Amino acid sequence: MDMEVDVLARRAVTVLTVAALAGCSSDGRPVEEATPSRAPASVAPAPVDPAPPPKELPLGGTKVFPAYRVVAYYGTAGNAALGVLGEGSPDRMLPRLRAAAKPFAGGRKVQVAYELIASVAQAGPGEDGDYSRMIPLDRIAHYVDQAKRHKVLVILDLQPGRGDFLPQARRLERFLVQPHVGLALDPEWRMPAGKVPGKTIGRVGPAEVNRVSAYVAGLVTRHALPEKLFVLHQFRASMLPGVARIEKRPGLAMVQHVDGFGTRSEKNATWNRLRRPQQFHLGYKLFYDEDVKRYGAADLLRFRNVPELVSFQ
């Protein structure tokens, strides 16, 4: 009996030993083994969408100059007294503009433009007391939309009266975020306190100009827009006091547009006195009615510092 017990005990030890070595329990069922810990598999970073390419100008590219010479008709909707653009609808005026612009190429591609007075200085204070009135936004939209269809640039011109240029520019943001729309500031109609448009030649300081240009340049960056025209009109030095402190902005083609009508000698004197080619691209205005022996395209193309933006009023 003792021998049987000893034999059974030895068999039990043998079974347990074999079961352990075989990964089984004593009753033959598999024994679960602990899974060794593993480093988690590396996860590939999610692909980053590339930034969208900048939108383009109506005739292609993202830079206005030196690819193009811009030729514009100036005025406001439905008012021929303020410039040639207002003599008819944009559909009617566009063929005339293209014909007038063609001779100004001078080795560049001609880009036609509407310089539309979006806010018009007023002789009276109006409801808000700023002596300026914005034309209806749906009329601005009519020009902007027609220009887009026909590959025309638009320059929205501001005459703020006693107001500030920046709030008026902000009201036009829905248009300024479009690739073919730029902005012009007309200091003649930016009144000092207590002064009335039409009785005083206005002015704007560099700080105000810089605030507006920073705002427009910000729109270019945020909306991946092509370069925008940013035009400063001037026919007297007093209109842009501190002009040297006006900052250049990336994304803006900043144009000093030398206005003034009269004889050729009078216009030459204004041009020679004011132009700053070291700081700005240059613009020049031609008046259909007020200029005496109005310069033609061949004349302007022989100028020292040939204008890159030419407008007709």
Side-chain angles (χ1 to χ4, degrees):
M1 177 65 98
D2 291 338
M3 186 177 294
E4 286 184 9
V5 171
D6 184 54
V7 170
L8 291 173
R10 288 183 182 181
R11 285 179 177 174
V13 171
T14 301
V15 169
L16 291 172
T17 302
V18 172
L21 291 174
C24 297
S25 64
S26 59
D27 59 2
R29 290 179 297 178
V31 176
E32 295 182 1
E33 296 182 2
T35 303
S37 61
R38 297 179 183 175
S42 60
V43 179
V48 177
D49 292 335
K55 302 173 181 69
E56 292 199 342
L57 294 163
L59 298 179
T62 59
K63 298 284 187 182
V64 180
F65 306 122
Y68 300 103
R69 193 175 321 280
V70 179
V71 180
Y73 268 3
Y74 173 95
T76 198
N79 188 339
L82 296 183
V84 62
L85 185 63
E87 291 181 2
S89 70
D91 286 332
R92 178 184 170 193
M93 300 309 298
L94 182 54
R96 287 179 56 185
L97 171 58
R98 291 198 191 280
K102 188 175 180 180
F104 286 88
R108 297 188 182 188
K109 186 181 291 186
V110 171
Q111 169 65 72
V112 296
Y114 303 143
E115 186 168 359
L116 178 69
I117 308 171
S119 64
V120 182
Q122 304 291 302
E127 292 182 1
D128 54 9
D130 68 358
Y131 289 80
S132 178
R133 177 183 59 83
M134 188 78 70
I135 70 173
L137 295 184
D138 60 350
R139 303 200 79 176
I140 298 174
H142 179 61
Y143 279 83
V144 169
D145 294 346
Q146 191 266 4
K148 182 178 180 180
R149 292 193 302 272
H150 294 281
K151 299 186 183 299
V152 176
L153 286 178
V154 177
I155 308 163
L156 298 177
D157 187 275
L158 300 181
Q159 300 180 357
R162 291 185 188 174
D164 188 294
F165 280 111
L166 184 56
Q168 288 201 346
R170 289 185 181 279
R171 288 182 62 187
L172 301 174
E173 184 169 315
R174 59 182 277 199
F175 306 114
L176 293 173
V177 296
Q178 299 187 47
H180 64 303
V181 181
L183 191 70
L185 311 185
D186 198 339
E188 178 184 1
W189 307 103
R190 171 65 169 95
M191 292 295 103
K195 300 299 182 180
V196 175
K199 297 183 178 180
T200 300
I201 302 298
R203 63 180 183 265
V204 63
E208 186 171 334
V209 174
N210 291 338
R211 287 194 296 272
V212 182
S213 66
Y215 162 70
V216 179
L219 297 179
V220 172
T221 299
R222 289 196 299 277
H223 297 274
L225 298 171
E227 191 172 60
K228 282 191 177 297
L229 285 170
F230 186 87
V231 179
L232 300 169
H233 287 281
Q234 185 181 24
F235 59 87
R236 288 187 182 177
S238 62
M239 292 166 63
L240 289 174
V243 63
R245 298 197 302 276
I246 293 175
E247 298 179 22
K248 294 183 179 180
R249 299 289 186 194
L252 302 185
M254 300 187 67
V255 178
Q256 179 195 27
H257 198 283
V258 179
D259 300 345
F261 56 81
T263 65
R264 290 189 174 191
S265 61
E266 290 171 329
K267 290 175 76 76
N268 290 347
T270 301
W271 174 253
N272 293 331
R273 183 175 66 253
L274 295 179
R275 75 181 191 274
R276 297 178 62 84
Q278 74 278 17
Q279 186 177 1
F280 301 105
H281 300 281
L282 296 178
Y284 196 86
K285 184 174 282 188
L286 298 170
F287 290 81
Y288 277 119
D289 298 328
E290 291 87 354
D291 280 350
V292 179
K293 295 183 64 176
R294 187 179 70 250
Y295 277 130
D299 301 310
L300 263 64
L301 293 174
R302 289 194 294 266
F303 272 26
R304 182 181 177 184
N305 306 122
V306 178
E308 296 183 277
L309 166 62
V310 178
S311 66
F312 285 87
Q313 181 170 340

